[in-house]
Amino acid sequence: MIALADCNNFFVSCERAFQPQLEGRPVVVLSNNDGCVVARSNESKAMGIKMGTPFFQVKELVDKGALVVRSSNYTLYGDLSSRVMSILESAFPGIEMYSIDEAFLHLDGLDMKNVPSLSRDTILKIRRWTGIPVSIGIAPTKTLAKVANHFAKRYAGYKGVCTIDNDEKRLKALSLTPIDDIWGIGWRMAPKLKSWGMPTALDFHNADESWVYRTMGITGLRTWKELHGVPSIVDEPVERRKSICTSRSFADMITDKEELEHRVADFAAICSRKLRDEGSAAYCINVFLHTNRFREDLGQYFPNATEKLTVPVNSTQEVVAAALKACRGIYREGFKYKRAGVTVFDIVDANAVQGVLFGYDIDTRDKHDAISAVMDRMNSKDNQTIRLASQRRGHYADGIRREHCSGLYTTSIDDIIKVH
């Protein structure tokens, strides 16, 4: 048996944890640049607001006071996620973090009779310590645990925990689950299965095994087996990413070269941090610039340039230096830039980096590594604590529009909750 813990409406719940006046009210959280809806409370779902709805389509509701909107606050969400995961780690033999708000819980060595009560106790502890509501689904496979979690989340009678531990419960749950809601059935395949007379998970479960393999390949067959209670999704080692990209659309178009370089330096610094977090280094640093393609009255320019290095790097200084060199080579005056980004690729294991005979200063590299390590420690809570001089000065918000952003309640002393 395995369990899945899932935070309910996570982004909205993070906002409500420090703004209790939002409880019971329709709330949505917006994407970067306040573009579209990426999270909804149950109340906003009931109003018919869909995922991906552009903000301008619901702005009138906000102006009337019928809807509360918040800009994405990923620093807050990430910190609360870490706190939730640490509580789960302390309660269960092992966890496998699946996303910022989901984790599979390994139940090895536990008496299964006690798992539901342990799960409910953990849910109460998470709510008490973080303010985040959590649901837990328990089943023989990961896919069925996802199904069980859906029921735990939707029906109050389960008190946050749903267990699928026999065939009767399994078949009943599958008969009530639309095929669209099954983990592993993509948005392209779901309409096809419906057109073939399989609108529910049970219909797909009852399909012939050989037909599933011929039609959907090994991935579809694994999902089919999981619905039969046969664990088929194994924990596989995470592959090293082939590239890492950090890019943003700017709230306002940029014409100043120095300001644009500051933004590119910021993006490059983020890429370097991600490389170090994954124990990687990159040979190539690419920079791209975009003007506003929707402004037909303005000149259009979409350049990019790549710096190929003789030795792979992951220090902030080296990645930023290469990115700025590429940026200066493609910048042209007279254009208004709306977007920029940095991509690092040709990635290798940082522990396997070899020097070259000429032009490789091991002492300088060691100094860069030491400085980067200090930056990482200092920036673990606030990534603006230590920066290079080529980056933007002072506190900033990635140069994106966040007109409805809440405070950094758990990571910034300036935003600590004030009790009156």
PDB file of all heavy atoms in Angstrom, residues 86-122:
ATOM      1  N   SER A  86       8.220  18.527   5.701  1.00  0.00           N
ATOM      2  CA  SER A  86       9.005  18.112   6.871  1.00  0.00           C
ATOM      3  C   SER A  86       8.114  17.421   7.904  1.00  0.00           C
ATOM      4  O   SER A  86       8.554  16.472   8.570  1.00  0.00           O
ATOM      5  CB  SER A  86       9.704  19.327   7.488  1.00  0.00           C
ATOM      6  OG  SER A  86       8.775  20.221   8.069  1.00  0.00           O
ATOM      7  N   ILE A  87       6.861  17.852   8.039  1.00  0.00           N
ATOM      8  CA  ILE A  87       5.931  17.199   8.967  1.00  0.00           C
ATOM      9  C   ILE A  87       5.593  15.801   8.459  1.00  0.00           C
ATOM     10  O   ILE A  87       5.552  14.831   9.233  1.00  0.00           O
ATOM     11  CB  ILE A  87       4.662  18.043   9.142  1.00  0.00           C
ATOM     12  CG1 ILE A  87       5.009  19.394   9.786  1.00  0.00           C
ATOM     13  CG2 ILE A  87       3.633  17.300  10.006  1.00  0.00           C
ATOM     14  CD1 ILE A  87       3.846  20.378   9.820  1.00  0.00           C
ATOM     15  N   LEU A  88       5.370  15.670   7.146  1.00  0.00           N
ATOM     16  CA  LEU A  88       5.100  14.353   6.569  1.00  0.00           C
ATOM     17  C   LEU A  88       6.295  13.418   6.758  1.00  0.00           C
ATOM     18  O   LEU A  88       6.127  12.224   7.070  1.00  0.00           O
ATOM     19  CB  LEU A  88       4.771  14.491   5.076  1.00  0.00           C
ATOM     20  CG  LEU A  88       3.443  15.180   4.726  1.00  0.00           C
ATOM     21  CD1 LEU A  88       3.356  15.431   3.224  1.00  0.00           C
ATOM     22  CD2 LEU A  88       2.248  14.357   5.199  1.00  0.00           C
ATOM     23  N   GLU A  89       7.498  13.946   6.575  1.00  0.00           N
ATOM     24  CA  GLU A  89       8.713  13.125   6.749  1.00  0.00           C
ATOM     25  C   GLU A  89       8.832  12.606   8.172  1.00  0.00           C
ATOM     26  O   GLU A  89       9.318  11.483   8.400  1.00  0.00           O
ATOM     27  CB  GLU A  89       9.953  13.945   6.387  1.00  0.00           C
ATOM     28  CG  GLU A  89      10.192  14.089   4.896  1.00  0.00           C
ATOM     29  CD  GLU A  89      11.443  14.874   4.587  1.00  0.00           C
ATOM     30  OE1 GLU A  89      11.725  15.865   5.293  1.00  0.00           O
ATOM     31  OE2 GLU A  89      12.144  14.492   3.638  1.00  0.00           O
ATOM     32  N   SER A  90       8.418  13.421   9.141  1.00  0.00           N
ATOM     33  CA  SER A  90       8.536  13.003  10.537  1.00  0.00           C
ATOM     34  C   SER A  90       7.485  11.966  10.923  1.00  0.00           C
ATOM     35  O   SER A  90       7.642  11.267  11.923  1.00  0.00           O
ATOM     36  CB  SER A  90       8.417  14.224  11.456  1.00  0.00           C
ATOM     37  OG  SER A  90       7.108  14.772  11.421  1.00  0.00           O
ATOM     38  N   ALA A  91       6.413  11.861  10.131  1.00  0.00           N
ATOM     39  CA  ALA A  91       5.302  10.981  10.490  1.00  0.00           C
ATOM     40  C   ALA A  91       5.352   9.628   9.783  1.00  0.00           C
ATOM     41  O   ALA A  91       4.834   8.641  10.317  1.00  0.00           O
ATOM     42  CB  ALA A  91       3.977  11.668  10.190  1.00  0.00           C
ATOM     43  N   PHE A  92       5.954   9.560   8.582  1.00  0.00           N
ATOM     44  CA  PHE A  92       5.920   8.342   7.784  1.00  0.00           C
ATOM     45  C   PHE A  92       7.334   7.837   7.508  1.00  0.00           C
ATOM     46  O   PHE A  92       8.300   8.611   7.526  1.00  0.00           O
ATOM     47  CB  PHE A  92       5.180   8.609   6.468  1.00  0.00           C
ATOM     48  CG  PHE A  92       3.710   8.900   6.659  1.00  0.00           C
ATOM     49  CD1 PHE A  92       3.256  10.191   6.867  1.00  0.00           C
ATOM     50  CD2 PHE A  92       2.788   7.864   6.660  1.00  0.00           C
ATOM     51  CE1 PHE A  92       1.908  10.457   7.063  1.00  0.00           C
ATOM     52  CE2 PHE A  92       1.433   8.119   6.852  1.00  0.00           C
ATOM     53  CZ  PHE A  92       0.997   9.410   7.053  1.00  0.00           C
ATOM     54  N   PRO A  93       7.476   6.528   7.228  1.00  0.00           N
ATOM     55  CA  PRO A  93       8.810   5.948   7.019  1.00  0.00           C
ATOM     56  C   PRO A  93       9.597   6.593   5.882  1.00  0.00           C
ATOM     57  O   PRO A  93      10.827   6.628   5.905  1.00  0.00           O
ATOM     58  CB  PRO A  93       8.505   4.474   6.711  1.00  0.00           C
ATOM     59  CG  PRO A  93       7.176   4.227   7.338  1.00  0.00           C
ATOM     60  CD  PRO A  93       6.415   5.509   7.218  1.00  0.00           C
ATOM     61  N   GLY A  94       8.907   7.099   4.868  1.00  0.00           N
ATOM     62  CA  GLY A  94       9.591   7.749   3.753  1.00  0.00           C
ATOM     63  C   GLY A  94       8.594   8.488   2.891  1.00  0.00           C
ATOM     64  O   GLY A  94       7.421   8.111   2.826  1.00  0.00           O
ATOM     65  N   ILE A  95       9.051   9.565   2.258  1.00  0.00           N
ATOM     66  CA  ILE A  95       8.171  10.289   1.351  1.00  0.00           C
ATOM     67  C   ILE A  95       8.895  10.527   0.029  1.00  0.00           C
ATOM     68  O   ILE A  95      10.121  10.587  -0.022  1.00  0.00           O
ATOM     69  CB  ILE A  95       7.668  11.629   1.940  1.00  0.00           C
ATOM     70  CG1 ILE A  95       8.744  12.719   1.848  1.00  0.00           C
ATOM     71  CG2 ILE A  95       7.199  11.462   3.362  1.00  0.00           C
ATOM     72  CD1 ILE A  95       8.194  14.112   2.125  1.00  0.00           C
ATOM     73  N   GLU A  96       8.104  10.641  -1.013  1.00  0.00           N
ATOM     74  CA  GLU A  96       8.616  10.929  -2.361  1.00  0.00           C
ATOM     75  C   GLU A  96       7.871  12.166  -2.856  1.00  0.00           C
ATOM     76  O   GLU A  96       6.716  12.086  -3.244  1.00  0.00           O
ATOM     77  CB  GLU A  96       8.349   9.731  -3.274  1.00  0.00           C
ATOM     78  CG  GLU A  96       8.775   9.909  -4.711  1.00  0.00           C
ATOM     79  CD  GLU A  96       8.270   8.768  -5.575  1.00  0.00           C
ATOM     80  OE1 GLU A  96       7.965   7.686  -5.027  1.00  0.00           O
ATOM     81  OE2 GLU A  96       8.161   8.970  -6.804  1.00  0.00           O
ATOM     82  N   MET A  97       8.546  13.304  -2.791  1.00  0.00           N
ATOM     83  CA  MET A  97       7.898  14.558  -3.172  1.00  0.00           C
ATOM     84  C   MET A  97       7.623  14.538  -4.668  1.00  0.00           C
ATOM     85  O   MET A  97       8.530  14.352  -5.476  1.00  0.00           O
ATOM     86  CB  MET A  97       8.785  15.740  -2.798  1.00  0.00           C
ATOM     87  CG  MET A  97       8.100  17.077  -2.930  1.00  0.00           C
ATOM     88  SD  MET A  97       9.104  18.403  -2.215  1.00  0.00           S
ATOM     89  CE  MET A  97       8.092  19.836  -2.680  1.00  0.00           C
ATOM     90  N   TYR A  98       6.358  14.727  -5.028  1.00  0.00           N
ATOM     91  CA  TYR A  98       5.959  14.663  -6.432  1.00  0.00           C
ATOM     92  C   TYR A  98       5.837  16.058  -7.039  1.00  0.00           C
ATOM     93  O   TYR A  98       6.151  16.257  -8.202  1.00  0.00           O
ATOM     94  CB  TYR A  98       4.632  13.904  -6.554  1.00  0.00           C
ATOM     95  CG  TYR A  98       4.083  13.847  -7.955  1.00  0.00           C
ATOM     96  CD1 TYR A  98       4.761  13.156  -8.956  1.00  0.00           C
ATOM     97  CD2 TYR A  98       2.899  14.488  -8.278  1.00  0.00           C
ATOM     98  CE1 TYR A  98       4.263  13.105 -10.246  1.00  0.00           C
ATOM     99  CE2 TYR A  98       2.385  14.446  -9.567  1.00  0.00           C
ATOM    100  CZ  TYR A  98       3.075  13.758 -10.548  1.00  0.00           C
ATOM    101  OH  TYR A  98       2.585  13.730 -11.820  1.00  0.00           O
ATOM    102  N   SER A  99       5.360  17.017  -6.270  1.00  0.00           N
ATOM    103  CA  SER A  99       5.247  18.399  -6.730  1.00  0.00           C
ATOM    104  C   SER A  99       5.284  19.293  -5.502  1.00  0.00           C
ATOM    105  O   SER A  99       5.443  18.814  -4.378  1.00  0.00           O
ATOM    106  CB  SER A  99       3.953  18.615  -7.528  1.00  0.00           C
ATOM    107  OG  SER A  99       2.826  18.471  -6.686  1.00  0.00           O
ATOM    108  N   ILE A 100       5.139  20.588  -5.698  1.00  0.00           N
ATOM    109  CA  ILE A 100       5.219  21.520  -4.577  1.00  0.00           C
ATOM    110  C   ILE A 100       4.149  21.233  -3.529  1.00  0.00           C
ATOM    111  O   ILE A 100       4.352  21.525  -2.340  1.00  0.00           O
ATOM    112  CB  ILE A 100       5.116  22.978  -5.081  1.00  0.00           C
ATOM    113  CG1 ILE A 100       5.453  23.972  -3.962  1.00  0.00           C
ATOM    114  CG2 ILE A 100       3.722  23.271  -5.646  1.00  0.00           C
ATOM    115  CD1 ILE A 100       5.553  25.413  -4.427  1.00  0.00           C
ATOM    116  N   ASP A 101       3.041  20.607  -3.919  1.00  0.00           N
ATOM    117  CA  ASP A 101       1.953  20.379  -2.964  1.00  0.00           C
ATOM    118  C   ASP A 101       1.530  18.918  -2.865  1.00  0.00           C
ATOM    119  O   ASP A 101       0.491  18.609  -2.287  1.00  0.00           O
ATOM    120  CB  ASP A 101       0.740  21.239  -3.333  1.00  0.00           C
ATOM    121  CG  ASP A 101       0.174  20.896  -4.703  1.00  0.00           C
ATOM    122  OD1 ASP A 101       0.871  20.240  -5.494  1.00  0.00           O
ATOM    123  OD2 ASP A 101      -0.975  21.294  -4.991  1.00  0.00           O
ATOM    124  N   GLU A 102       2.323  17.998  -3.395  1.00  0.00           N
ATOM    125  CA  GLU A 102       1.977  16.579  -3.359  1.00  0.00           C
ATOM    126  C   GLU A 102       3.194  15.738  -2.998  1.00  0.00           C
ATOM    127  O   GLU A 102       4.317  16.049  -3.391  1.00  0.00           O
ATOM    128  CB  GLU A 102       1.474  16.096  -4.719  1.00  0.00           C
ATOM    129  CG  GLU A 102       0.128  16.611  -5.159  1.00  0.00           C
ATOM    130  CD  GLU A 102      -0.235  16.066  -6.519  1.00  0.00           C
ATOM    131  OE1 GLU A 102       0.255  16.610  -7.520  1.00  0.00           O
ATOM    132  OE2 GLU A 102      -1.009  15.092  -6.579  1.00  0.00           O
ATOM    133  N   ALA A 103       2.942  14.649  -2.260  1.00  0.00           N
ATOM    134  CA  ALA A 103       4.016  13.704  -1.946  1.00  0.00           C
ATOM    135  C   ALA A 103       3.422  12.320  -1.751  1.00  0.00           C
ATOM    136  O   ALA A 103       2.360  12.159  -1.127  1.00  0.00           O
ATOM    137  CB  ALA A 103       4.765  14.137  -0.691  1.00  0.00           C
ATOM    138  N   PHE A 104       4.099  11.308  -2.301  1.00  0.00           N
ATOM    139  CA  PHE A 104       3.729   9.927  -2.038  1.00  0.00           C
ATOM    140  C   PHE A 104       4.363   9.516  -0.708  1.00  0.00           C
ATOM    141  O   PHE A 104       5.518   9.846  -0.436  1.00  0.00           O
ATOM    142  CB  PHE A 104       4.198   9.009  -3.162  1.00  0.00           C
ATOM    143  CG  PHE A 104       3.411   9.168  -4.431  1.00  0.00           C
ATOM    144  CD1 PHE A 104       3.949   9.839  -5.513  1.00  0.00           C
ATOM    145  CD2 PHE A 104       2.130   8.647  -4.535  1.00  0.00           C
ATOM    146  CE1 PHE A 104       3.220   9.997  -6.687  1.00  0.00           C
ATOM    147  CE2 PHE A 104       1.391   8.799  -5.705  1.00  0.00           C
ATOM    148  CZ  PHE A 104       1.939   9.476  -6.780  1.00  0.00           C
ATOM    149  N   LEU A 105       3.597   8.810   0.113  1.00  0.00           N
ATOM    150  CA  LEU A 105       4.043   8.401   1.438  1.00  0.00           C
ATOM    151  C   LEU A 105       4.254   6.891   1.442  1.00  0.00           C
ATOM    152  O   LEU A 105       3.333   6.125   1.137  1.00  0.00           O
ATOM    153  CB  LEU A 105       3.008   8.787   2.492  1.00  0.00           C
ATOM    154  CG  LEU A 105       2.462  10.220   2.423  1.00  0.00           C
ATOM    155  CD1 LEU A 105       1.353  10.414   3.445  1.00  0.00           C
ATOM    156  CD2 LEU A 105       3.594  11.219   2.644  1.00  0.00           C
ATOM    157  N   HIS A 106       5.461   6.463   1.784  1.00  0.00           N
ATOM    158  CA  HIS A 106       5.754   5.035   1.861  1.00  0.00           C
ATOM    159  C   HIS A 106       5.342   4.521   3.239  1.00  0.00           C
ATOM    160  O   HIS A 106       5.638   5.151   4.266  1.00  0.00           O
ATOM    161  CB  HIS A 106       7.233   4.792   1.584  1.00  0.00           C
ATOM    162  CG  HIS A 106       7.646   5.214   0.206  1.00  0.00           C
ATOM    163  ND1 HIS A 106       7.339   4.482  -0.910  1.00  0.00           N
ATOM    164  CD2 HIS A 106       8.301   6.320  -0.238  1.00  0.00           C
ATOM    165  CE1 HIS A 106       7.806   5.100  -1.992  1.00  0.00           C
ATOM    166  NE2 HIS A 106       8.388   6.223  -1.599  1.00  0.00           N
ATOM    167  N   LEU A 107       4.668   3.383   3.262  1.00  0.00           N
ATOM    168  CA  LEU A 107       4.064   2.868   4.492  1.00  0.00           C
ATOM    169  C   LEU A 107       4.756   1.617   4.995  1.00  0.00           C
ATOM    170  O   LEU A 107       4.205   0.884   5.833  1.00  0.00           O
ATOM    171  CB  LEU A 107       2.576   2.590   4.245  1.00  0.00           C
ATOM    172  CG  LEU A 107       1.780   3.739   3.601  1.00  0.00           C
ATOM    173  CD1 LEU A 107       0.341   3.309   3.340  1.00  0.00           C
ATOM    174  CD2 LEU A 107       1.821   4.978   4.478  1.00  0.00           C
ATOM    175  N   ASP A 108       5.970   1.328   4.517  1.00  0.00           N
ATOM    176  CA  ASP A 108       6.695   0.117   4.889  1.00  0.00           C
ATOM    177  C   ASP A 108       6.849   0.029   6.414  1.00  0.00           C
ATOM    178  O   ASP A 108       7.280   0.988   7.064  1.00  0.00           O
ATOM    179  CB  ASP A 108       8.081   0.098   4.240  1.00  0.00           C
ATOM    180  CG  ASP A 108       8.014   0.269   2.732  1.00  0.00           C
ATOM    181  OD1 ASP A 108       6.999  -0.150   2.154  1.00  0.00           O
ATOM    182  OD2 ASP A 108       8.952   0.836   2.151  1.00  0.00           O
ATOM    183  N   GLY A 109       6.508  -1.139   6.965  1.00  0.00           N
ATOM    184  CA  GLY A 109       6.706  -1.367   8.394  1.00  0.00           C
ATOM    185  C   GLY A 109       5.570  -0.884   9.268  1.00  0.00           C
ATOM    186  O   GLY A 109       5.588  -1.128  10.485  1.00  0.00           O
ATOM    187  N   LEU A 110       4.597  -0.192   8.700  1.00  0.00           N
ATOM    188  CA  LEU A 110       3.470   0.299   9.484  1.00  0.00           C
ATOM    189  C   LEU A 110       2.343  -0.729   9.511  1.00  0.00           C
ATOM    190  O   LEU A 110       2.120  -1.452   8.537  1.00  0.00           O
ATOM    191  CB  LEU A 110       2.934   1.611   8.913  1.00  0.00           C
ATOM    192  CG  LEU A 110       3.881   2.818   8.911  1.00  0.00           C
ATOM    193  CD1 LEU A 110       3.186   4.014   8.261  1.00  0.00           C
ATOM    194  CD2 LEU A 110       4.320   3.163  10.329  1.00  0.00           C
ATOM    195  N   ASP A 111       1.650  -0.802  10.627  1.00  0.00           N
ATOM    196  CA  ASP A 111       0.446  -1.627  10.720  1.00  0.00           C
ATOM    197  C   ASP A 111      -0.662  -0.905   9.967  1.00  0.00           C
ATOM    198  O   ASP A 111      -1.063   0.206  10.343  1.00  0.00           O
ATOM    199  CB  ASP A 111       0.068  -1.816  12.190  1.00  0.00           C
ATOM    200  CG  ASP A 111      -1.097  -2.788  12.370  1.00  0.00           C
ATOM    201  OD1 ASP A 111      -1.833  -3.018  11.386  1.00  0.00           O
ATOM    202  OD2 ASP A 111      -1.272  -3.288  13.486  1.00  0.00           O
ATOM    203  N   MET A 112      -1.161  -1.524   8.897  1.00  0.00           N
ATOM    204  CA  MET A 112      -2.128  -0.848   8.032  1.00  0.00           C
ATOM    205  C   MET A 112      -3.405  -0.465   8.783  1.00  0.00           C
ATOM    206  O   MET A 112      -4.101   0.469   8.394  1.00  0.00           O
ATOM    207  CB  MET A 112      -2.474  -1.721   6.829  1.00  0.00           C
ATOM    208  CG  MET A 112      -1.356  -1.796   5.779  1.00  0.00           C
ATOM    209  SD  MET A 112      -0.777  -0.159   5.244  1.00  0.00           S
ATOM    210  CE  MET A 112      -2.289   0.561   4.639  1.00  0.00           C
ATOM    211  N   LYS A 113      -3.710  -1.168   9.880  1.00  0.00           N
ATOM    212  CA  LYS A 113      -4.900  -0.809  10.655  1.00  0.00           C
ATOM    213  C   LYS A 113      -4.738   0.580  11.287  1.00  0.00           C
ATOM    214  O   LYS A 113      -5.738   1.258  11.556  1.00  0.00           O
ATOM    215  CB  LYS A 113      -5.150  -1.854  11.742  1.00  0.00           C
ATOM    216  CG  LYS A 113      -5.574  -3.215  11.224  1.00  0.00           C
ATOM    217  CD  LYS A 113      -5.904  -4.155  12.357  1.00  0.00           C
ATOM    218  CE  LYS A 113      -4.671  -4.426  13.213  1.00  0.00           C
ATOM    219  NZ  LYS A 113      -4.954  -5.428  14.284  1.00  0.00           N
ATOM    220  N   ASN A 114      -3.495   0.974  11.515  1.00  0.00           N
ATOM    221  CA  ASN A 114      -3.249   2.258  12.185  1.00  0.00           C
ATOM    222  C   ASN A 114      -2.990   3.407  11.214  1.00  0.00           C
ATOM    223  O   ASN A 114      -2.926   4.569  11.629  1.00  0.00           O
ATOM    224  CB  ASN A 114      -2.046   2.131  13.123  1.00  0.00           C
ATOM    225  CG  ASN A 114      -2.271   1.106  14.212  1.00  0.00           C
ATOM    226  OD1 ASN A 114      -3.399   0.926  14.669  1.00  0.00           O
ATOM    227  ND2 ASN A 114      -1.204   0.435  14.626  1.00  0.00           N
ATOM    228  N   VAL A 115      -2.830   3.092   9.924  1.00  0.00           N
ATOM    229  CA  VAL A 115      -2.463   4.133   8.958  1.00  0.00           C
ATOM    230  C   VAL A 115      -3.543   5.209   8.815  1.00  0.00           C
ATOM    231  O   VAL A 115      -3.218   6.406   8.782  1.00  0.00           O
ATOM    232  CB  VAL A 115      -2.116   3.502   7.596  1.00  0.00           C
ATOM    233  CG1 VAL A 115      -1.978   4.570   6.511  1.00  0.00           C
ATOM    234  CG2 VAL A 115      -0.814   2.726   7.707  1.00  0.00           C
ATOM    235  N   PRO A 116      -4.840   4.863   8.724  1.00  0.00           N
ATOM    236  CA  PRO A 116      -5.844   5.934   8.619  1.00  0.00           C
ATOM    237  C   PRO A 116      -5.818   6.910   9.790  1.00  0.00           C
ATOM    238  O   PRO A 116      -5.908   8.127   9.604  1.00  0.00           O
ATOM    239  CB  PRO A 116      -7.170   5.163   8.540  1.00  0.00           C
ATOM    240  CG  PRO A 116      -6.791   3.845   7.950  1.00  0.00           C
ATOM    241  CD  PRO A 116      -5.460   3.531   8.539  1.00  0.00           C
ATOM    242  N   SER A 117      -5.690   6.372  11.031  1.00  0.00           N
ATOM    243  CA  SER A 117      -5.658   7.272  12.192  1.00  0.00           C
ATOM    244  C   SER A 117      -4.374   8.082  12.209  1.00  0.00           C
ATOM    245  O   SER A 117      -4.386   9.281  12.555  1.00  0.00           O
ATOM    246  CB  SER A 117      -5.796   6.466  13.481  1.00  0.00           C
ATOM    247  OG  SER A 117      -4.736   5.533  13.612  1.00  0.00           O
ATOM    248  N   LEU A 118      -3.246   7.486  11.819  1.00  0.00           N
ATOM    249  CA  LEU A 118      -1.993   8.233  11.713  1.00  0.00           C
ATOM    250  C   LEU A 118      -2.124   9.342  10.677  1.00  0.00           C
ATOM    251  O   LEU A 118      -1.648  10.475  10.893  1.00  0.00           O
ATOM    252  CB  LEU A 118      -0.852   7.278  11.320  1.00  0.00           C
ATOM    253  CG  LEU A 118       0.485   7.934  10.952  1.00  0.00           C
ATOM    254  CD1 LEU A 118       1.071   8.686  12.136  1.00  0.00           C
ATOM    255  CD2 LEU A 118       1.474   6.885  10.424  1.00  0.00           C
ATOM    256  N   SER A 119      -2.780   9.035   9.566  1.00  0.00           N
ATOM    257  CA  SER A 119      -2.955  10.029   8.503  1.00  0.00           C
ATOM    258  C   SER A 119      -3.798  11.209   9.001  1.00  0.00           C
ATOM    259  O   SER A 119      -3.466  12.368   8.753  1.00  0.00           O
ATOM    260  CB  SER A 119      -3.616   9.387   7.279  1.00  0.00           C
ATOM    261  OG  SER A 119      -2.806   8.345   6.759  1.00  0.00           O
ATOM    262  N   ARG A 120      -4.879  10.912   9.722  1.00  0.00           N
ATOM    263  CA  ARG A 120      -5.739  11.995  10.220  1.00  0.00           C
ATOM    264  C   ARG A 120      -5.004  12.842  11.261  1.00  0.00           C
ATOM    265  O   ARG A 120      -5.139  14.062  11.285  1.00  0.00           O
ATOM    266  CB  ARG A 120      -7.029  11.410  10.803  1.00  0.00           C
ATOM    267  CG  ARG A 120      -7.951  10.839   9.739  1.00  0.00           C
ATOM    268  CD  ARG A 120      -9.337  10.499  10.275  1.00  0.00           C
ATOM    269  NE  ARG A 120     -10.197  10.054   9.181  1.00  0.00           N
ATOM    270  CZ  ARG A 120     -10.349   8.782   8.830  1.00  0.00           C
ATOM    271  NH1 ARG A 120      -9.710   7.824   9.506  1.00  0.00           N
ATOM    272  NH2 ARG A 120     -11.133   8.462   7.820  1.00  0.00           N
ATOM    273  N   ASP A 121      -4.221  12.180  12.128  1.00  0.00           N
ATOM    274  CA  ASP A 121      -3.443  12.932  13.117  1.00  0.00           C
ATOM    275  C   ASP A 121      -2.444  13.856  12.423  1.00  0.00           C
ATOM    276  O   ASP A 121      -2.233  15.001  12.853  1.00  0.00           O
ATOM    277  CB  ASP A 121      -2.698  11.971  14.044  1.00  0.00           C
ATOM    278  CG  ASP A 121      -3.628  11.222  14.990  1.00  0.00           C
ATOM    279  OD1 ASP A 121      -4.788  11.663  15.144  1.00  0.00           O
ATOM    280  OD2 ASP A 121      -3.199  10.197  15.551  1.00  0.00           O
ATOM    281  N   THR A 122      -1.835  13.369  11.339  1.00  0.00           N
ATOM    282  CA  THR A 122      -0.856  14.176  10.609  1.00  0.00           C
ATOM    283  C   THR A 122      -1.529  15.354   9.916  1.00  0.00           C
ATOM    284  O   THR A 122      -0.993  16.464   9.894  1.00  0.00           O
ATOM    285  CB  THR A 122      -0.119  13.302   9.575  1.00  0.00           C
ATOM    286  OG1 THR A 122       0.467  12.174  10.231  1.00  0.00           O
ATOM    287  CG2 THR A 122       0.976  14.102   8.874  1.00  0.00           C
TER     288      THR A 122
END
